[in-house]
Amino acid sequence: MAESIRTGRRKPAGPLAYAALVAASLFAVGPLLWALSTSFKSPDAVLTDTSWIPSAPTLENYTIVLFESQVPRYLFNSVVVAGATVLATLVLATLGAYATARFRFRGRGASLFFILMTSMIPGIAILVPLYFLAVEVGVYDSYLGLIVVYTAWQVPTVLWMLRGFFQTIPTSLEEAGRIDGASDLRVMVQLVLPLAKPGLAAAAVIAFVYVWNDYLIAATMVSSDDKRLVSVGLYNYLSQYGIEWGQLTAAVLVTIVPMVVLFVLMEKRLVAGLSAGATKG
Amino acid sequence: MTVKSPEAPPVREHRPVPAVQARRRPSTRPRLLPYGLLLPAVVVVAVVSVFPIVFALNLSLHETRFTQLEDFVGLDNYAAILGSSAGWASIGRSLIYVVASLALAIPMSLGIAHLLNRPARFRLVFRALILMPWVISQTVAALLWRWLLNADYGPLGLGDVAGTRIDVFADPVQAMAALILVNVWISYPLATILCLAALQTIPAELEEASDVDGAGPFTRFRRITLPMMAPTLFVVAILLTLLYFNMVTLVLTFTAGGPFGATQLVSLDAFNESFSFFNLGLGAAYSVILFVFNIVFGAAYIKLIRSEGDG
Amino acid sequence: MSVSRRATLLRRAAVAAAALGLIAACGSGGGSTSSGDGRLELWTFLDPNSPDDPRGQALRTVVDGFNESQDEVEVTIRNINYAKIDSEVVRATASGQGPDLVNVYSAQLATHVDAGTVLPLDDYAADYLAQIGDDLIFPLEGVRFGGSVMSIPWETRAWLLWYRKDLLDAAGLPVPATLDELASTAGALAASGAAQTGLAIGFSDQGLGADFVEKFIPLTWGFGGEILDEDGTAAFDDDAGVQALEYLRRLHEAGAFGDEVLNMAADDVIQSVTAGTVAMAIEGSYRVGAARSGEGIGENLQTVPVPSRTPGEPLPTAVAGQTMAIGANADDPEAAWTFIEYYTSEESQALFAEAGVLPVRASVYDTPEFDALPNADELRSWRDYVVDHGRPQPVSSRFNELSAALVGVGQQTVFRDEDPREALTGVAEQYDSAAR
């Protein structure tokens, strides 16, 4: 599997490859460097100081964002909602993926087809109905409403992904477990899940980032300020008087930090997990 | 991550199990277990997706007044879109936007993934940097790029490029090109990481073997890499296509459809009719049209990958 | 259209949800906004926690003052971005929720009235309006629908000609006094390099083309036309509308602005005035204070009434402003009204005036506190413009749609060669046919 394959020797990168890597990195972070630069400029300097290195750097924007705004609260909300969504998605999708990967049963193909179809529904099509449904059921403007919607939104992708992953895990282990008299559920939880960890980690990261970035659902399902997610909260800097660039960019950078940390921590697992699941066609 | 046509059974089903074992516990395996495992996922997906899409279909067949359903009008809302040149123009622009974005994003992701797959100093740093746009929301991406590309005060200095002023937001073609560029910027990281993952499953020995054969890098890519990457590329294509067709926030913030309507996409029509103009019926019709495009493209990919498998 | 066939989405949603009955089990609470426990929820675009907007602070002071003034009810604030508040109120009200009190921008009031999100105020406001009478400088026609007053204005605004005095002085140009002079001055400013753009008018699709339409309306009036007829049908496609577009085209040809304005909405225009790349603009009085606060701007930014074809006779200005209304699902409209009275009192108006809001009550302009404001005279000149030349902004529940269509016409006729009359007629026909 992935781990063993990686030990194979590939040609190290040459100067051309490094040049390409640097170019790609610049394309990727160029706009963010500009955001970084702007975040250290005072409101007056934002439009007048057009250099990439602020001539009079200030921490004012960060102070305001961290201590005088609701951004920390939004961050907390996003972490809670994204975290809960990841958990719920993994539980539902793991069960479903395991069932469809390991058992033959009537309606399996139809169920898989159904789940695939729902991922084709444009979010914009169902925002309004979802809103009314959420209000009626009493989950509008609550974490729960967001979590349920995001979970349902993520389950199809993650289920298909994990199904591919389970198919790469040999069944011999499970058979051995069954011979020892373990129940199907125990086999799944104690023998298969530990092997599926990389796949679960990769799925978790993808689902987490999705929730982190989403704007439309977050803006539709929640309206009180103390439950707002970070992607919507950034809209506070788009005022009638124009964009508060310094504070907006500072807020953006503050919100990137946890994601970068998450990525660096998860990088190995993410790639390894995906490589096992991704190619299983 | 796999998405495959459900009718086709997985290629490597890990059955049949050895006959002895199969005979040992044939009937004790609870028949209801798989249903029990799958049911929660199906239920949640059904409640959150199916009921609302049925609702949206129903909306699209009615006249609406704010949030009230009025007369049943059959396919009038669709006729209003498909019977007008503006409607077809939006559809055409959506297609250009999606196809051009795919044509850029997929080769680019593949190329970058290839670079990131080779041993290199600071590989983790490069990976982290290159994937960073992944965690930028569409609103922020649009605002930042609007500023960068601004001809008057943008830091890229497009106001004076060797004496010519490049104002991408004043030119229909350039505005669309810029929109596609930003779209690729926020979406290639996910594609890259999926491609990277797939590349890692290609045994290095295979590549070495082809080196010995004297095959050039392009032959190697075509003969070894591409076939092994096909399932992943298929998944990437589907994910990106869905993302692109349904894109609202980015377009709304970046160009809002202008200039001269050059970036007015079907998704933006759907958003405006539903949320800015309160024409929920017409908005629903636009989004159902999007749904149809998603399905058509999804089906086309499935067909494509199947015929590749046959050949 | 039979009424019996109407079914609210809500009811259908309820039926379907009950039939599915699924997530009901795991969901409870949340979202209830009108609970009838003596709490009134106020939805507004103002952010009471904003470190940058003094109006938010003023709002907080007024609300706190109201809450302390009596024991019956407590008002709480829910802040929603100005671009999203209207659709959120419409949706929330349709689902049986929504605010007790809602801040509505006057141009959006027709939408709210049509969507049934606000209560008529006749029962409550009659005495109040009789009492303040002429003291209210906001034209009441702007908030009256079907004979009923639907909301009480608490802010007024006019659209003025903004100019950078330093840039005009440097170019040795006087402040234009007619539309012709405006064109030539703006052209000269840009040609001399004093500024990138002589006169900026935002032609961007952002914000549904609001910046463009805010100029198109008074120009059409200035050429003797109307935007909408008495019966609500399109009237902008007559000679006056065509002349307005031709004037804008002339501005473009005179070099007053170039293609860069295609990417400008109101806030871009203002940022550019602040940055000095735009020398003149026609923008709202309510934004002057914020624009001046930038470094090195201050008194360099000046305003005069927008000139017309005749010297000494300004162009009419649309009058619009923020208003306060009672939500359709309010638990206690009586209590909500008490708050509106407090919110629009002279004392509260004075507080908002300090935060840069142009008061709607004439008497506030003559108080000693008002005199103490650094730009009291300027504010009074704006009031005079509103009183003498103000007209309520045209109202339509489909104003957003119209606005988005008109900016498209503006782009096509000013920057492309499309015929103004044909383009306007096209939009007018579409607008009227959709009204049915």
Side-chain angles (χ1 to χ4, degrees), chain B residues 46-63:
Chain B
V47 171
V48 177
S49 305
V50 177
F51 156 69
I53 192 72
V54 170
F55 191 99
L57 279 168
N58 186 44
L59 259 183
S60 73
L61 302 176
H62 285 81
E63 199 156 281

Side-chain angles (χ1 to χ4, degrees), chain B:
Chain B
M1 186 178 316
T2 76
V3 179
K4 61 178 290 153
S5 74
E7 305 93 275
V11 191
R12 270 179 279 159
E13 192 80 7
H14 288 283
R15 306 185 160 256
V17 292
V20 182
Q21 292 168 11
R23 240 183 291 124
R24 204 177 255 239
R25 309 168 58 91
S27 55
T28 51
R29 309 207 46 185
R31 294 180 156 271
L32 287 179
L33 181 66
Y35 293 101
L37 293 176
L38 187 57
L39 191 68
V42 170
V43 165
V44 169
V45 170
V47 171
V48 177
S49 305
V50 177
F51 156 69
I53 192 72
V54 170
F55 191 99
L57 279 168
N58 186 44
L59 259 183
S60 73
L61 302 176
H62 285 81
E63 199 156 281
T64 54
R65 183 178 163 77
F66 293 98
T67 51
Q68 287 194 312
L69 274 189
E70 298 199 335
D71 294 350
F72 177 82
V73 293
L75 297 175
D76 280 9
N77 285 323
Y78 295 93
I81 299 166
L82 301 176
S84 72
S85 56
W88 282 105
S90 288
I91 291 174
R93 284 186 291 259
S94 274
L95 287 171
I96 291 172
Y97 172 74
V98 171
V99 172
S101 298
L102 285 172
L104 271 174
I106 291 185
M108 186 173 144
S109 306
L110 203 52
I112 293 179
H114 207 72
L115 289 171
L116 290 178
N117 195 33
R118 296 167 72 173
R121 278 165 192 266
F122 313 116
R123 186 156 79 163
L124 181 62
V125 175
F126 279 124
R127 281 189 184 177
L129 288 180
I130 286 174
L131 298 181
M132 219 180 249
W134 191 15
V135 296
I136 304 300
S137 67
Q138 295 173 22
T139 311
V140 173
L143 290 173
L144 278 177
W145 278 97
R146 260 183 78 190
W147 193 359
L148 284 173
L149 298 175
N150 188 292
D152 290 324
Y153 51 82
L156 295 182
L158 293 185
D160 185 10
V161 181
T164 6
R165 177 187 165 85
I166 301 177
D167 191 344
V168 298
F169 299 102
D171 181 86
V173 176
Q174 288 176 26
M176 177 60 107
L179 178 65
I180 290 169
L181 174 82
V182 181
N183 185 35
V184 169
W185 185 76
I186 53 165
S187 59
Y188 83 87
L190 177 63
T192 302
I193 203 157
L194 288 170
C195 289
L196 177 60
L199 277 176
Q200 300 217 326
T201 63
I202 301 176
E205 295 76 34
L206 258 183
E207 297 185 11
E208 280 165 23
S210 66
D211 278 349
V212 174
D213 290 349
F218 285 103
T219 321
R220 187 174 68 215
F221 179 76
R222 203 163 50 80
R223 286 226 197 111
I224 296 167
T225 315
L226 209 52
M228 293 204 67
M229 295 277 296
T232 300
L233 290 179
F234 159 74
V235 170
V236 167
I238 280 206
L239 283 179
L240 292 186
T241 305
L242 295 180
L243 179 73
Y244 295 164
F245 266 121
N246 303 341
M247 186 72 73
V248 173
T249 315
L250 177 74
V251 194
L252 189 66
T253 318
F254 192 63
T255 59
F260 310 106
T263 54
Q264 187 71 38
L265 309 179
V266 179
S267 49
L268 193 57
D269 282 325
F271 177 86
N272 275 341
E273 294 295 344
S274 299
F275 289 88
S276 304
F277 306 156
F278 298 106
N279 296 325
L280 291 186
L282 194 57
Y286 272 112
S287 50
V288 170
I289 290 176
L290 276 182
F291 187 31
V292 170
F293 271 104
N294 289 340
I295 294 173
V296 167
F297 270 68
Y301 293 138
I302 289 173
K303 205 158 179 218
L304 192 72
I305 192 113
R306 274 221 201 134
S307 61
E308 294 245 317
D310 296 342

Side-chain angles (χ1 to χ4, degrees), chain C residues 365-384:
Chain C
Y365 291 83
D366 299 322
T367 56
E369 292 86 354
F370 195 87
D371 267 331
L373 295 175
N375 61 337
D377 288 337
E378 183 182 42
L379 294 174
R380 289 193 190 108
S381 76
W382 294 346
R383 171 199 60 187
D384 295 342

Side-chain angles (χ1 to χ4, degrees), chain A residues 44-45 47-48 64 68 70 128 131-133 135-142 144 148 215 219-220 222-225 228 232 235-236 238-245 247, chain C residues 9-10 13-14 17 23-24 26-31 45 49 51-53 55 78-82 84 88 91-92 94-95 97 267 271 275 286-287 290 293-295 322:
Chain A
D44 292 324
L47 287 174
T48 47
I64 293 177
E68 290 171 39
Q70 291 274 83
V128 175
Y131 170 86
F132 287 106
L133 185 61
V135 168
E136 198 55 31
V137 179
V139 296
Y140 173 68
D141 203 24
S142 69
L144 185 65
V148 169
Y215 173 82
T220 309
V222 155
S223 85
S224 56
D225 196 45
R228 220 164 264 172
V232 182
Y235 250 70
N236 287 355
L238 277 60
S239 76
Q240 280 184 310
Y241 294 147
I243 300 169
E244 299 287 344
W245 281 110
Q247 289 173 41
Chain C
L9 294 182
L10 172 65
I23 53 180
C26 51
S28 66
F45 72 102
N49 299 317
D52 308 301
D53 189 346
R55 297 175 301 175
R78 176 175 291 205
N79 148 249
I80 302 170
N81 187 278
Y82 71 98
K84 301 195 309 179
E88 204 152 309
R91 263 186 288 129
S95 63
Q97 301 196 313
D267 51 352
Q271 272 188 351
Y286 63 109
R287 286 178 159 125
S293 67
E295 194 181 327
Q322 302 294 346

Side-chain angles (χ1 to χ4, degrees), chain C residues 97-292:
Chain C
Q97 301 196 313
D100 298 287
L101 287 154
V102 55
N103 186 88
V104 179
Y105 179 52
S106 57
Q108 295 293 337
L109 187 58
T111 301
H112 286 272
V113 171
D114 237 27
T117 58
V118 292
L119 291 181
L121 298 180
D122 300 331
D123 293 350
Y124 315 102
D127 290 348
Y128 170 84
L129 290 173
Q131 189 196 325
I132 65 169
D134 284 347
D135 202 30
L136 190 67
I137 59 170
F138 192 103
L140 264 183
E141 313 95 85
V143 292
R144 195 179 271 136
F145 291 83
S148 296
V149 169
M150 301 304 289
S151 68
I152 304 295
W154 61 271
E155 183 239 14
T156 186
R157 49 181 74 166
W159 276 264
L160 307 152
L161 177 65
W162 293 26
Y163 62 93
R164 284 288 298 252
K165 191 169 181 305
D166 49 342
L167 299 181
L168 258 71
D169 287 349
L173 292 164
V175 179
T178 62
L179 285 178
D180 286 336
E181 281 181 38
L182 182 61
S184 58
T185 306
L189 278 165
S192 71
Q196 219 131 20
T197 309
L199 170 72
I201 291 171
F203 276 83
S204 155
D205 293 271
Q206 308 272 0
L208 302 171
D211 200 60
F212 166 78
V213 173
E214 284 169 5
K215 319 297 134 71
F216 179 72
I217 292 170
L219 281 173
T220 305
W221 285 342
F223 286 106
E226 291 295 330
I227 303 299
L228 299 173
D229 277 334
E230 293 288 317
D231 59 356
T233 55
F236 51 81
D237 55 333
D238 65 1
D239 291 345
V242 172
Q243 280 173 291
L245 285 178
E246 278 168 352
Y247 176 70
L248 290 170
R249 187 186 263 175
R250 192 145 67 81
L251 283 175
H252 181 48
E253 283 162 1
F257 51 77
D259 289 356
E260 73 276 4
V261 297
L262 280 166
N263 185 32
M264 287 190 185
D267 51 352
D268 303 299
V269 171
I270 286 159
Q271 272 188 351
S272 306
V273 171
T274 318
T277 52
V278 164
M280 297 190 289
I282 298 170
E283 289 297 342
S285 54
Y286 63 109
R287 286 178 159 125
V288 172
R292 267 193 195 138

